Amino acid sequence: MTQKRLAIIGGGLAGSEAALQLAGLGLQVDLYEMKPEKRSAAHHSDTLAEIVCSNSFGSQGESTASGLLKLEMEALGSKLLEIARQVAVPAGKALAVDREQFTARVTETVQNHPLIHLHCEEVTELPEADYILIATGPLTTPALVEAIGRLLNRKQLYFFDAASPIIARDSIDFGIAYISDRYANEKTNASDITETNAAEQSYINCPLDKPQYEALLTALLASEKTELKDFEKESASYFESCLPIEVIASRGIDTLRYGPFKPVGLPDPKTGQIPHAVVQLRQDNAEGTLYNMVGCQTNIKWGDQKKIIQMIPGLTNAEVVRYGVMHRNTYIHSPEVLAPTLQLKQHPHILFAGQLTGTEGYSESIATGLWAALNMARLALGQTPGIPPKTTMLGALLHYITRAEAIGKDFQPINSNWGILEPLDIASFTDVKTYKLLRRNKPQRNAYYAERALTVIKQYIFETKEAIPLL
C-alpha cells in the first residue's frame, strides 16, 4: 500500500506526541513548527513542546481525574508522559517537570527520529497532505487562525490565561518562609532543611498576617495592567481555573484567601499557627534553584509585579527570573465542527488536537494528540477511526467537547474531571446496596470509576492492536 502523506501543524505538546506516536507505528510524518523562525509573545525558547505556564502536569494516581487520565495515557503508550516522568521534580502527589530538560528531551527525540521530517517554518495555509492534524495550540498565529476560520466558515473564539512569575530560590528569605506540603504529617522548619529532606517537601510557603494580606490586596488592585489589543478587548473572557491573580482579587477581600493564598493545612513552624494567608512557591527545575509562584498568573506590568512580589514576606529581596505574562488563547467551537474521533465533520481528513479543541491542561493536550495520531494511523491504513468509551476519562473528555447538546450554545474549555464520566447505572449492579453506597460515598465512587476506566482502556488497547497491526 502506498504511504499516505501525513502532516502535523504545531510542535507543542499535542503535536509532538502525535508525531512520535505515528513514527512509532512506522509511519512517515511531516511536522511543521514555526520556531525558531518565529515565536509567540509567550514563548521563550526555540524547542518543541515548550510549557509556558505552570511546570505541573497535575496530580497522579487513581484518586483524581487528572491522575486517572495519566494512567490511561500510560496504558496507551504516551511518549511525552514517559519523558515527563524521566525529568520530574518534587511536587507532592503531582507530576511536575524541569521544564528545560523536558522540552530539550522532546526536541532531541523528535529531531533524531528517522520517520519525522521537521519543517521549521510558519504555516499560513494548510499543506498538501492526505491527512492533516492541526495542533497549533492556544497561541495560533493570526494568519493560520484566518485560514482555519475559512476552513470552518465561522468566527473563532478566544479566551485568556496567564503565566506565573518564577523566583530564584537563593533570593528567598527562609528566616520567614518555610517548606511544607499542605497537611504534611511532619512539618519541616525551613532552617532545618537538608539536601535529604528537601526532596520530601515540595512547596515553599510565605506567610502573611492580616495587615500584610490587605496591603498586598490593595497593591494588586491598584497595579498597572498591560493593555490588551483592540481585538482582544472585544473578545476577552477568562478560563476560571487560570484566572489572573488581579481578577481573583477584584472579586472580594477574602477571595484570594479561599483560592491560591489558602492557608489551611500550612501552619507556620515558627508559631505553630495557621497564617491569615499563604503564598506558595513550587519547584520549577530539577536543581531546585527556581520556584514558580503558585496561582499567581498575572497581567500586571513588570515594574509593578516586582514591587508587589517584594511586598510578600520572605520575598523582600526576591530575584524574579521570569515575570508573569498574559496572552491570547484560541480554540474552535468543537461541538459544532468536530467529531469525537477528533476529525472535522465537514473535512474528515483534517483532525484537531490540544487546546484548539477546547480541552485545558498539559495532560489533556498530550492525550488528545495521542488519540488523534492513532486515528490518523487508522485512516492511513484504511481502518475506521475509533472513539474511547465514555467510561474512560479520555473518552469522556472527547465526548464532552463534541457533545451535541452544546451546539449553538456558549462553549468553554474544560479539564478532565469526574463529572464528565459516564455515571453509575443501577442496571449494571447485581447488588443494589453497592450501587447506593457508591452513590453516597464519593471516594469509593471515584475508585470504582477508575477501576472501570482502566479495565475498559486495556480492552480498547487490545482492539486497537487488532485495528493497527503495526502497534
Side-chain angles (χ1 to χ4, degrees):
M1 184 174 63
T2 304
Q3 165 76 51
K4 298 293 185 181
R5 294 172 299 170
L6 308 179
I8 299 172
I9 307 173
L13 294 171
S16 296
E17 175 72 26
L20 290 171
Q21 286 292 332
L22 289 167
L25 293 170
L27 301 173
Q28 294 183 355
V29 59
D30 289 292
L31 174 61
Y32 294 84
E33 167 56 48
M34 68 180 185
K35 295 191 296 184
E37 178 184 296
K38 185 177 181 179
R39 291 186 195 169
S40 75
H43 286 106
H44 296 267
S45 78
D46 293 332
T47 50
L48 302 173
E50 181 181 357
I51 51 179
V52 297
C53 289
S54 167
N55 68 322
S56 174
F57 283 67
S59 55
Q60 302 187 86
E62 298 181 10
S63 62
T64 66
S66 177
L68 175 57
L69 180 63
K70 291 179 183 63
L71 291 173
E72 294 176 4
M73 293 162 61
E74 184 177 43
L76 289 165
S78 171
K79 309 297 185 182
L80 265 62
L81 180 61
E82 180 182 355
I83 292 174
R85 286 180 170 155
Q86 291 171 358
V87 297
V89 297
K93 294 181 179 180
L95 173 61
V97 301
D98 180 309
R99 67 178 75 220
E100 291 185 4
Q101 288 188 26
F102 174 76
T103 186
R105 193 163 298 187
V106 172
T107 303
E108 180 184 10
T109 305
V110 169
Q111 289 177 335
N112 291 339
H113 203 294
L115 294 180
I116 300 176
H117 183 194
L118 180 60
H119 303 260
C120 296
E121 59 188 71
E122 181 183 1
V123 173
T124 57
E125 296 290 343
L126 301 188
E128 293 290 332
D130 294 297
Y131 299 102
I132 299 171
L133 171 60
I134 302 176
T136 44
L139 304 175
T140 301
T141 60
L144 187 55
V145 166
E146 185 177 338
I148 295 172
R150 291 195 301 270
L151 177 71
L152 302 179
N153 193 29
R154 64 189 65 240
K155 184 180 178 181
Q156 295 301 292
L157 305 175
Y158 304 99
F159 68 96
F160 290 78
D161 67 9
S164 297
I166 296 177
I167 308 298
R169 186 189 189 280
D170 60 9
S171 68
I172 299 172
D173 182 359
F174 286 103
I176 298 173
Y178 56 97
I179 296 181
S180 177
D181 292 350
R182 198 179 303 276
Y183 300 116
N185 291 328
E186 295 182 6
K187 305 301 187 293
T188 306
N189 191 304
S191 61
D192 297 330
I193 290 296
T194 66
E195 192 170 324
T196 299
N197 63 32
E200 300 172 359
Q201 303 289 335
S202 308
Y203 293 87
I204 295 174
N205 303 280
C206 299
L208 294 91
D209 58 26
K210 185 175 181 180
Q212 291 167 334
Y213 171 79
E214 292 179 349
L216 187 66
L217 188 71
T218 299
L220 284 168
L221 296 176
S223 63
E224 188 176 3
K225 317 302 188 296
T226 300
E227 185 176 356
L228 301 179
K229 297 177 182 179
D230 290 340
F231 74 91
E232 292 176 325
K233 290 177 181 177
E234 294 172 358
S235 53
S237 62
Y238 294 106
F239 181 48
E240 287 295 320
S241 72
C242 198
L243 286 173
I245 192 171
E246 60 272 17
V247 173
I248 301 174
S250 71
R251 295 183 173 184
I253 190 169
D254 288 321
T255 311
L256 283 173
R257 293 183 60 240
Y258 290 98
F261 291 2
K262 181 171 66 176
V264 178
L266 295 169
D268 187 338
K270 292 178 288 297
T271 65
Q273 302 298 312
I274 300 291
H276 188 72
V278 169
V279 175
Q280 288 196 299
L281 297 94
R282 179 176 54 226
Q283 186 173 331
D284 201 77
N285 64 345
E287 294 78 12
T289 57
L290 302 177
Y291 277 72
N292 62 68
M293 300 178 65
V294 178
C296 291
Q297 54 273 0
T298 182
N299 186 40
I300 296 172
K301 286 193 173 181
W302 290 4
D304 279 1
Q305 277 192 52
K306 185 174 183 179
K307 293 176 184 176
I308 291 170
I309 290 170
Q310 293 185 341
M311 288 177 65
I312 298 170
L315 301 184
T316 303
N317 299 307
E319 178 189 347
V320 184
V321 175
R322 179 183 298 177
Y323 287 97
V325 295
M326 180 173 172
H327 47 266
R328 188 199 76 182
N329 284 354
T330 306
Y331 58 92
I332 63 176
H333 197 296
S334 290
E336 295 186 355
V337 301
L338 203 64
T341 57
L342 297 176
Q343 296 170 277
L344 287 180
K345 296 175 182 178
Q346 299 300 319
H347 307 278
H349 71 290
I350 299 176
L351 299 89
F352 277 74
Q355 291 189 48
L356 272 177
T357 66
T359 59
E360 266 293 329
Y362 298 151
S363 296
E364 288 82 351
S365 289
I366 296 170
T368 55
L370 188 164
W371 198 259
L374 292 181
N375 276 341
M376 283 187 79
R378 288 188 177 97
L379 291 166
L381 295 169
Q383 303 287 344
T384 302
I387 307 170
K390 293 181 182 179
T391 49
T392 66
M393 189 58 67
L394 176 56
L397 190 66
L398 298 185
H399 280 87
Y400 186 87
I401 63 171
T402 58
R403 66 198 188 282
E405 56 267 32
I407 294 175
K409 299 179 181 178
D410 185 39
F411 174 60
Q412 292 293 321
I414 192 169
N415 300 90
S416 53
N417 65 85
W418 295 116
I420 63 175
L421 280 173
E422 186 82 4
L424 298 174
D425 180 9
I426 192 171
S428 64
F429 288 85
T430 56
D431 183 0
V432 177
K433 289 184 178 179
T434 300
Y435 169 78
K436 291 182 177 179
L437 172 64
L438 295 177
R439 283 288 299 261
R440 293 192 303 268
N441 190 303
K442 185 176 180 180
Q444 291 189 33
R445 182 170 69 249
N446 291 347
Y448 170 83
Y449 282 153
E451 182 180 359
R452 181 182 66 177
L454 294 175
T455 299
V456 170
I457 204 71
K458 289 173 184 176
Q459 175 62 28
Y460 211 87
I461 292 169
F462 173 78
E463 295 172 1
T464 299
K465 288 182 179 178
E466 294 294 311
I468 307 177
L470 294 175
L471 273 171

